[in-house]
Amino acid sequence: MSVHSLDPVFHPRAVAVVGVSSNPNPTGMGSFYASLLEAGFADRGGLYPVNPKVNEINGARCYPTLMDTPDPVDHVISQVPAGFVPELVDQCIAKKVRSIHFFTAGFSETGDQEMAVVERQMIEKLRDAGIRAIGPNCMGLYVPGSKLAFMGGFPMESGNVFLLSQSGANAGEVVRDLTNRGVRFSKVVSYGNGADLRAHDFLDYAAQDEESAVVAAYIEGVQDGRKFFEALQRCARVKPVIVLKGGRTRSGSQAAHSHTGSLAGSIEIFDAVCRQTGALRAETMDELQDLIVAVSTNIRQVSGRGVALFAGGGGGFAVLSADAIDREGLTVPRMPQSAVDEMREYIPVAGSSVNNPIDAFPPSEYLDDMLRLIATAEGMDMVFMSPLIDRSRWQSPNGKDKNSSSDSQSEAKKVTNLIAGQMKHLQDDTGTPVIGVIRGGGMARMMGVDPDDFLEATYRQGIASFPSVSRAARTVNQLLEWREYRQGLPDLS
Amino acid sequence: MNFESVLHQARAEGRDLLNEVEAKQLLSQAGVPVVETLLATTADQAKRLAGEIGYPVVVKVVSADISHKSDVGGVKVGLANAEAVGEAYEAILANSRQAVPDAVITGVAVQGMAVEGTEIIVGMVRDPQFGPVMMFGLGGIFVELLKDVSFRVLPLTERDAQQMVNDIKGRAILDGVRGQTAVDKAAICKLILNVGVFIEQHPEIQELDMNPVFVYADGAVAVDARIVLSQA
């Protein structure tokens, strides 16, 4: 198999951070050196801080210029002010680097014609020398497999999600939020103004990248529309691709222009492009994240729109949940009479409902039977289930439940894992996809289950979970619609 | 009349807009069904063409300088015989000259009366990012008020054309509501695909509009068509 021309960009042998700050704090934006140290890049290859005004950082030698660093340097991160960039470009050419990431901002996104020309000229010069550029005005690369990270606190475990984003902060938010939900990434690239490498380049790379099974993109402006269209078409043929387009409204597109110099374009046509190419369209960050979860879990197996809702929370919650499910395009079919009769054998009529939604708790010896009954009842294409099931069953043997120590925290984690396992077991047993729903705030505290733990524990079992019934229903419906409009394209399910 | 000769003539006259007769003939050659529309430059010729097409006919002014033909009294419909066509010819010329004195009038178009069907529109715009984009929608208030249209980037596949037709919110109207019969969706798809190929073959076309197209239980026909060329 041939190596893609962008492969070296994601796998540098050595990295120089030019214009490094002397304060190695990995929490802020632009603390690339500290983030790379934390990620352990130095164990993998040369990591060289460069700043003529700094002698050493945390005991490591700081080089006055790029030319003073050992050979080879494959990747350069530029933190120098825009005015120093032309000189750095010359040094990169002399040093024979393979790629350069410009964190440096102040180019075309400012709207200044002169700076747009400077940007174009430096890119042309780099291209002539065979050097690829990411940015300017962006956060660059997070590749756990290569120990590259652009912020602190990113997990170093690799996953199968490829994320490209014009915005570095949005990329960081997706990584952090989805990390909490158990998702891991193969490669993340924030590419800002996209003066050289653009969305279509990364989509082409992602399409053939064996480490990436899911592709997600945050885009503000489409550059080279035809190339983007064709790359999206190629990529979406073979992998689920989720696209969140910023600048959908007039106010949003004005903001996009000053953020990354992007012209946002007609949103109706962009949405049509998603349908035409077979990509999934997200309208918000929540949707983007929910869809990433959906395409990498059991939601891919959902075959219809009927939801059996077993989420507890009382009668009012059941009513509002049924409303939400309906509103988002799914249905809550009535439980067949035979199933109702069977459940009534162990569930009293007063204060409960065994129709759908199910607002009832059986004695614990009947719980498994009841879940199986619900999951296999006619018309139920999936089960929505919250962890609010028979708490007594999961309590620790010594009966301590109100303990506020870390004991009770790890106990809660254990319980959460057991519940996730039970959901997986129910799904395997019945063949009906089981989808988790967990409410935040007071309800979660009352249940003693940490929402993040639940989301992560279920995801690791291949089960999708969502922070609300409406988000769960919306996501399932989007996936079903996606499958419908993909007709005529290769089957990805 | 082929595309090159029409293009040549339009360029020579400094026009970007093809007239209705030119647009329809080119579309017809591209396999798009259109209501037969012929150009007359004298009243006698108008009568003769009306006889060839068959009564009743519609007669309209043809002028690159007059875009809202009915507003200036430039359209006469339901003409049942040669006498009516002759009178309409003179009246249209007089009305048009009065309303737009310096308009260059090419002649009048004599057009058959299409049986009314479900109104749809098919068009093409050039998107600054994606290039030529096809548009489909229901005609009349659906497009004007509700903006109920669908788009696809060219080139089109059969899947694209089918999805365009089914993407609109008012698709139930095409499937037949309140006892009306369903329209011929396959004919719409074929029309969309043929227009797509026509546009691919002629990058000089900047914009194309067929509004309305009548669609029936069997078949479809473009009643009006407009083609704008890119600036020379």
Side-chain angles (χ1 to χ4, degrees):
Chain A
M1 182 151 170
S2 67
V3 174
H4 191 275
S5 66
L6 290 191
D7 214 54
V9 174
F10 295 99
H11 303 100
R13 290 165 298 178
V15 175
V17 184
V18 182
V20 65
S21 139
S22 58
N23 171 24
N25 164 22
T27 55
M29 292 280 266
S31 44
F32 296 99
Y33 178 66
S35 303
L36 288 167
L37 271 184
E38 186 193 293
F41 187 82
D43 303 335
R44 190 178 166 271
L47 176 59
Y48 313 123
V50 176
N51 186 338
K53 290 181 192 145
V54 179
N55 288 324
E56 60 174 53
I57 298 176
N58 269 7
R61 181 180 171 197
C62 189
Y63 298 85
T65 74
L66 179 62
M67 302 317 290
D68 302 307
T69 59
D71 284 322
V73 169
D74 286 340
H75 184 66
V76 166
I77 298 174
S78 161
Q79 291 190 266
V80 300
F84 290 94
V85 162
E87 189 187 337
L88 179 59
V89 163
D90 288 338
Q91 291 177 350
C92 285
I93 293 166
K95 190 76 179 171
K96 296 190 166 54
V97 310
R98 300 193 300 206
S99 55
I100 175 163
H101 152 215
F102 291 102
F103 173 68
T104 307
F107 293 95
S108 62
E109 82 281 3
T110 58
D112 183 321
Q113 288 300 313
E114 212 168 300
M115 286 318 286
V117 171
V118 171
E119 179 179 292
R120 216 164 34 242
Q121 284 170 344
M122 80 191 191
I123 295 303
E124 270 165 30
K125 209 164 171 184
L126 287 168
R127 256 189 211 156
D128 289 346
I131 300 170
R132 301 315 302 259
I134 302 171
N137 182 28
C138 69
M139 295 298 283
L141 299 167
Y142 163 47
V143 185
S146 298
K147 298 192 183 301
L148 292 170
F150 60 72
M151 280 182 194
F154 286 178
M156 280 300 116
E157 187 189 346
S158 283
N160 64 4
V161 178
F162 187 107
L163 172 68
L164 56 130
S165 172
Q166 270 194 283
S167 156
N170 280 5
E173 190 180 333
V174 172
V175 171
R176 284 178 202 280
D177 289 353
L178 283 183
T179 293
N180 286 340
R181 289 172 79 167
V183 178
R184 294 294 181 270
F185 296 84
S186 53
K187 289 157 187 102
V188 176
V189 54
S190 143
Y191 66 96
N193 296 7
D196 177 26
L197 292 173
R198 299 177 166 180
H200 62 83
D201 297 303
F202 297 120
L203 285 170
D204 269 339
Y205 180 82
Q208 58 79 54
D209 182 26
E210 287 175 3
E211 292 174 359
S212 304
V214 172
V215 183
Y218 170 74
I219 286 165
E220 288 180 359
V222 174
Q223 303 159 302
D224 304 327
R226 290 304 303 186
K227 282 183 183 165
F228 174 80
F229 177 75
E230 285 159 19
L232 186 61
Q233 206 161 33
R234 281 191 294 269
C235 195
R237 270 187 86 78
V238 294
K239 293 175 188 184
V241 181
I242 303 145
V243 185
L244 170 58
K245 171 77 169 62
R248 294 182 65 86
T249 62
R250 199 156 70 164
S251 306
S253 59
Q254 278 168 8
H257 189 59
S258 54
H259 180 213
T260 49
S262 297
L263 294 173
S266 154
I267 198 61
E268 291 80 10
I269 290 173
F270 191 87
D271 289 349
V273 162
C274 288
R275 291 176 77 83
Q276 188 170 5
T277 55
L280 276 151
R281 186 207 71 177
E283 275 195 69
T284 63
M285 286 284 271
D286 284 349
E287 274 187 29
L288 180 73
Q289 297 179 15
D290 287 348
L291 287 168
I292 290 171
V293 167
V295 296
S296 50
T297 56
N298 59 341
I299 291 193
R300 294 276 283 274
Q301 294 141 33
V302 175
S303 59
R305 292 191 150 75
V307 179
L309 179 70
F310 182 59
F317 178 72
V319 171
L320 291 178
S321 298
D323 279 344
I325 288 169
D326 214 74
R327 190 167 52 237
E328 299 298 353
L330 305 184
T331 63
V332 185
R334 286 186 78 81
M335 218 17 98
Q337 193 56 42
S338 59
V340 170
D341 292 345
E342 207 171 315
M343 282 189 269
R344 279 301 178 208
E345 286 173 20
Y346 43 80
I347 291 178
V349 174
S352 71
S353 167
V354 291
N355 221 313
N356 196 12
I358 290 117
D359 179 36
F361 289 94
S364 62
E365 65 267 34
Y366 291 109
L367 178 61
D368 289 338
D369 286 350
M370 180 167 151
L371 286 173
R372 208 171 295 121
L373 191 65
I374 291 167
T376 54
E378 206 194 318
M380 306 304 164
D381 299 302
M382 74 205 98
V383 179
F384 279 12
M385 196 166 145
S386 90
L388 186 68
I389 48 168
D390 191 24
R391 283 273 291 138
S392 63
R393 182 178 241 239
W394 308 115
Q395 267 169 12
S396 54
N398 60 18
K400 275 191 216 156
D401 202 30
K402 294 253 151 55
N403 205 331
S404 63
S405 70
S406 62
D407 264 11
S408 82
Q409 268 177 33
S410 69
E411 189 63 27
K413 258 196 183 169
K414 233 182 273 172
V415 170
T416 305
N417 284 330
L418 281 168
I419 294 169
Q422 192 197 30
M423 290 168 70
K424 172 81 161 84
H425 178 72
L426 175 64
Q427 173 175 294
D428 290 348
D429 210 24
T430 60
T432 306
V434 176
I435 292 153
V437 173
I438 175 105
R439 288 190 283 166
M443 284 301 284
R445 276 199 297 279
M446 194 187 82
M447 292 188 292
V449 173
D450 178 67
D452 283 347
D453 286 348
F454 179 75
L455 296 172
E456 181 172 0
T458 46
Y459 185 85
R460 293 209 171 241
Q461 297 277 5
I463 286 183
S465 287
F466 299 90
S468 72
V469 169
S470 70
R471 273 171 72 172
R474 185 181 183 79
T475 308
V476 171
N477 189 49
Q478 281 174 311
L479 222 72
L480 291 172
E481 281 181 354
W482 174 61
R483 209 183 286 155
E484 282 156 20
Y485 67 70
R486 275 192 67 91
Q487 272 179 18
L489 298 176
D491 184 12
L492 294 182
S493 56
Chain B
M1 183 163 79
N2 61 20
F3 187 84
E4 277 59 44
S5 67
V6 171
L7 177 71
H8 184 80
Q9 184 166 357
R11 295 285 193 230
E13 292 169 14
R15 293 187 277 140
D16 294 333
L17 181 71
L18 298 191
N19 69 49
E20 191 183 340
V21 177
E22 293 168 327
K24 280 183 179 167
Q25 291 204 6
L26 293 176
L27 282 163
S28 172
Q29 286 162 16
V32 178
V34 298
V35 176
E36 193 176 4
T37 306
L38 302 168
L39 182 72
T41 48
T42 66
D44 283 345
Q45 193 186 11
K47 288 182 204 167
R48 202 179 64 240
L49 293 176
E52 279 171 25
I53 290 168
Y55 293 100
V57 295
V58 180
V59 177
K60 306 181 217 182
V61 64
V62 176
S63 166
D65 303 313
I66 302 173
S67 46
H68 297 288
K69 291 175 275 225
S70 24
D71 293 357
V72 301
V75 181
K76 301 281 178 197
V77 302
L79 308 175
N81 51 48
E83 193 187 351
V85 170
E87 283 169 14
Y89 184 93
E90 301 300 345
I92 282 172
L93 284 195
N95 292 344
S96 302
R97 285 200 182 107
Q98 195 183 359
V100 190
D102 48 2
V104 176
I105 293 169
T106 312
V108 300
V110 183
Q111 176 189 308
M113 288 276 282
V115 178
E116 256 192 76
T118 303
E119 275 189 40
I120 59 167
I121 60 165
V122 174
M124 183 277 291
V125 288
R126 279 191 190 266
D127 181 75
Q129 290 175 334
F130 294 108
V133 174
M134 193 74 89
M135 186 195 69
F136 166 77
L138 288 171
I141 61 158
F142 292 98
V143 61
E144 276 167 34
L145 237 56
L146 305 175
K147 310 265 180 267
D148 186 12
V149 291
S150 60
F151 298 97
R152 286 294 181 276
V153 172
L154 266 61
L156 302 177
T157 63
E158 217 152 297
R159 167 179 171 268
D160 296 329
Q162 283 164 6
Q163 288 195 341
M164 284 186 83
V165 173
N166 288 314
D167 265 2
I168 56 165
K169 296 181 193 81
R171 76 185 77 82
I173 290 169
L174 300 174
D175 293 328
V177 280
R178 293 190 166 205
Q180 295 198 328
T181 47
V183 304
D184 188 349
K185 283 192 187 175
I188 305 176
C189 288
K190 189 162 176 247
L191 183 146
I192 290 172
L193 287 170
N194 285 346
V195 173
V197 171
F198 173 64
I199 288 161
E200 291 277 312
Q201 287 169 345
H202 303 296
E204 301 88 351
I205 299 174
Q206 177 68 25
E207 235 180 273
L208 183 150
D209 232 322
M210 295 191 289
N211 182 14
V213 175
F214 285 163
V215 54
Y216 311 105
D218 185 16
V221 64
V223 179
D224 199 357
R226 208 174 72 98
I227 291 175
V228 181
L229 302 170
S230 56
Q231 295 197 342

